[in-house]
Amino acid sequence: MVEDILKALGIQGEQSGVSTGAYWLPAHGAIITSVSPVDDKKIAAVKGASREDYDQVVATAQEAFKEWRHWPAPKRGEIVRQIGEALRQHKEHLGKLVSYEMGKSLQEGYGEVQEMIDICDFAVGLSRQLHGLTMHSERPGHRMYEQWHPLGITGIISAFNFPVAVWSWNSMLAWVCGNVCIWKPSEKTPVTALACQRIVDTVFAANKVPEGVCNLVIGDRDAGEWMSHDTRIPLVSATGSTRMGKAVGAAVGQRLGRSLLELGGNNAIIISQDADLDMSIIGAVFGAVGTAGQRCTSTRRLIIHESVYDAFTARLVKAYSQLRIGNPLDQHNHVGPLIDKAAVNAYLDSIEQVKAQGGSFLVEGGVLSGAGYESGCYVKPCIAAVENTYAIVQHETFAPILYVMKYKTLAEAIAMQNDVPQGLSSAIMTLNLREAEQFLSHAGSDCGIANVNIGTSGAEIGGAFGGEKETGGGRESGSDAWRAYMRRQTNTINYSTSLPLAQGIKFDF
């Protein structure tokens, strides 16, 4: 089956990991072998980029930008519309490949491709709305306005957990804004990147898009560092851990470039005494175990009112006992594997830290073995009773470990929710209007995303996505996130017969 998927997506044998859209260039770096966490089988071998390969791609991208920026934005939008149609045609195969290479459930794999389609639709409309403002001048016979211009090359560094969707969030907006893109995908999921590049190649070739508008550089950590330090790339959008983001932000900032950072989350749901517990269970369980806890928006903490704590945790334990863990391509399973053995070891280490710091487990964790679990990457989602102040709770654990704790007052709950270094997503489950509004107020959640009666995971592309504090402060996807990919220019036109100065300054001679 996997061979059929690869063939349908144009992937066979050893692949070059360097492309400028129109051409797949010979790669001279190390071979990266993609192995599925589902069954520990090799998917494909990809030849990574050398520094010389990377420099060739950047030079081609620079030349492409000179032409691409002159294409009218609606025409660029039409290209993106066709990409969306191509993704619709390949949704089944690409969704299965996402699931198999990354390990997320098949429904989530399909959902990730749907996100790509949705952002294409959004970007098409955006291509006719890249608007500035007009302002009244204090000087007679003058007109002031602002306009937005493309930046140039957008560098995109994406993470394994959303191997294609986050790339599309950036690239589709960057393209309609008139930028060209260079994508450095996670070395853990290179094959899905190859598939996306081939899909876009076909659309670009049919429309005679210049070589170098869509570029792919597959490589290890070095490739991301080349991009971060490269003054030819004005914007670097990076998704990953806070540690990685700090390194990227420092490198880009040192050269006074721009960075768009989407980093770690430590997301909490407050379960009020006025919550609909049936609804809350669904939101909490999906948020905690979806993608095996490997989403930046995964629910890490449940802050539960003391009056419903026992009843809710009992229902939670029962729900966990009904989870089906196994091959994510089987749609009956809820939870797939972690990405690799290193992730499994980090999961086990976190469990030991919970115990050492005084926590106890309502649902025990562990690694699964036996038939169907040969890859060694399948683990049990677990639930730990903890205090919010534990060092391990303050850390983002990228695994299906859910921390539960009690609160007495809403003010206490909000303080606990905010008392972590990260600030991505948050939620409250309550039917109490006052509680909901307090949670959303300036004195409420300090996260970039705050939901009421919705879990922390599963954002729509229409809203800007991103967070505060150690989450990086970036915004991607919807709303006015497009502005990050453009430069603002203020223009003043004098159509009078004199030259008055601003602020009434006189300069006569």
Side-chain angles (χ1 to χ4, degrees):
M1 181 186 70
V2 176
E3 290 76 13
D4 293 338
I5 294 172
L6 296 179
K7 185 177 180 181
L9 295 169
I11 301 170
Q12 293 177 294
E14 184 178 305
Q15 305 283 306
S16 170
V18 183
S19 173
T20 56
Y23 300 101
W24 288 84
L25 307 178
H28 302 89
I31 292 177
I32 297 172
T33 302
S34 177
V35 177
S36 172
V38 173
D39 53 17
D40 204 33
K41 292 182 179 178
K42 174 182 173 181
I43 301 173
V46 181
K47 195 73 178 294
S50 66
R51 180 59 196 250
E52 291 73 21
D53 300 331
Y54 167 80
D55 285 331
Q56 183 177 353
V57 168
V58 175
T60 305
Q62 286 181 303
E63 289 302 310
F65 174 62
K66 294 176 183 178
E67 179 179 347
W68 181 243
R69 64 186 173 183
H70 290 298
W71 285 42
K75 186 176 179 181
R76 297 192 297 255
E78 167 58 18
I79 306 302
V80 170
R81 185 195 68 78
Q82 293 179 35
I83 294 172
E85 290 303 310
L87 289 169
R88 286 178 171 91
Q89 295 170 15
H90 291 285
K91 180 177 178 178
E92 181 176 357
H93 289 118
L94 185 56
K96 286 180 178 178
L97 180 58
V98 168
S99 179
Y100 186 64
E101 186 172 37
M102 186 268 146
K104 64 176 58 177
S105 73
L106 185 56
Q107 286 299 316
E108 291 180 85
Y110 289 148
E112 182 160 353
V113 181
Q114 187 60 50
E115 278 195 68
M116 301 173 75
I117 295 168
D118 292 345
I119 199 66
C120 286
D121 290 348
F122 179 87
V124 173
L126 178 64
S127 68
R128 295 181 182 270
Q129 300 180 71
L130 299 173
H131 52 78
L133 299 172
T134 60
M135 292 79 72
H136 289 281
S137 173
E138 67 185 54
R139 292 167 284 183
H142 286 59
R143 180 166 67 89
M144 291 179 62
Y145 71 100
E146 66 178 26
Q147 59 181 332
W148 295 80
H149 297 299
L151 286 170
I153 300 174
T154 297
I156 303 167
I157 302 172
S158 61
F160 74 86
N161 59 333
F162 279 86
V164 295
V166 175
W167 162 74
S168 71
W169 290 2
N170 285 275
S171 59
M172 304 307 160
L173 297 195
W175 284 332
V176 298
C177 289
N179 297 322
V180 300
C181 297
I182 300 176
W183 180 21
K184 189 274 175 194
S186 170
E187 58 269 34
K188 297 180 181 182
T189 52
V191 183
T192 47
L194 293 176
C196 289
Q197 184 76 3
R198 291 192 179 279
I199 291 169
V200 173
D201 283 354
T202 303
V203 175
F204 277 20
N207 289 275
K208 297 182 172 54
V209 173
E211 176 191 359
V213 173
C214 176
N215 303 279
L216 177 67
V217 175
I218 291 176
D220 57 17
R221 182 173 167 181
D222 288 345
E225 292 181 355
W226 301 335
M227 192 177 290
S228 299
H229 288 88
D230 196 335
T231 56
R232 296 169 294 181
I233 301 179
L235 172 65
V236 176
S237 176
T239 303
S241 68
T242 296
R243 179 182 57 80
M244 181 275 288
K246 287 181 177 179
V248 171
V252 177
Q254 189 173 33
R255 59 179 176 84
L256 297 181
R258 298 190 195 181
S259 57
L260 198 170
L261 303 175
E262 297 290 357
L263 310 176
N266 195 343
N267 316 296
I269 301 177
I270 297 172
I271 309 293
S272 164
Q273 72 269 36
D274 294 321
D276 179 327
L277 296 187
D278 292 334
M279 182 186 296
S280 301
I281 283 288
I282 296 171
V285 175
F286 174 74
V289 308
T291 322
Q294 297 172 111
R295 291 186 177 211
C296 52
T297 56
S298 289
T299 303
R300 309 287 175 203
R301 298 173 295 144
L302 290 184
I303 304 170
I304 308 169
H305 192 271
E306 59 182 7
S307 67
V308 296
Y309 180 88
D310 290 340
F312 190 77
T313 54
R315 297 177 71 163
L316 197 62
V317 169
K318 182 179 179 181
Y320 267 55
S321 71
Q322 298 170 338
L323 292 175
R324 293 184 292 273
I325 307 167
N327 188 326
L329 294 175
D330 180 347
Q331 296 194 54
H332 293 95
N333 290 327
H334 300 106
V335 184
L338 293 176
I339 186 64
D340 55 23
K341 300 288 180 54
V344 173
N345 290 335
Y347 158 85
L348 293 173
D349 179 65
S350 296
I351 288 175
E352 291 306 312
Q353 289 190 55
V354 169
K355 295 176 181 177
Q357 292 169 27
S360 60
F361 283 88
L362 306 182
V363 175
E364 295 285 343
V367 181
L368 295 169
S369 60
Y373 303 127
E374 290 86 355
S375 71
C377 294
Y378 293 88
V379 302
K380 299 175 184 177
C382 58
I383 304 171
V386 297
E387 297 295 334
N388 199 58
T389 53
Y390 290 0
I392 188 60
V393 178
Q394 295 285 309
H395 173 74
E396 180 190 33
T397 303
F398 223 55
I401 303 175
L402 179 62
Y403 303 119
V404 297
M405 57 201 79
K406 298 178 183 178
Y407 78 92
K408 295 179 182 293
T409 67
L410 181 61
E412 179 189 7
I414 292 174
M416 292 167 67
Q417 132 73 38
N418 293 342
D419 190 23
V420 291
Q422 310 83 1
L424 178 53
S425 187
S426 59
I428 186 171
M429 295 293 186
T430 183
L431 301 180
N432 184 317
L433 180 61
R434 287 181 175 174
E435 286 191 332
E437 290 294 340
Q438 288 177 49
F439 179 73
L440 299 177
S441 74
H442 61 272
S445 169
D446 65 0
C447 294
I449 299 169
N451 298 326
V452 175
N453 294 327
I454 301 173
T456 62
S457 192
E460 298 179 33
I461 61 92
F465 179 90
E468 303 301 325
K469 302 189 294 189
E470 288 195 355
T471 301
R475 292 297 184 274
E476 294 174 329
S477 193
S479 186
D480 65 349
W482 62 271
R483 294 172 186 260
Y485 305 90
M486 305 193 82
R487 60 181 178 88
R488 186 197 308 252
Q489 184 181 78
T490 300
N491 307 113
T492 306
I493 299 171
N494 178 3
Y495 59 90
S496 73
T497 59
S498 61
L499 186 61
L501 301 178
Q503 292 84 49
I505 294 174
K506 301 295 184 182
F507 190 72
D508 297 326
F509 57 88

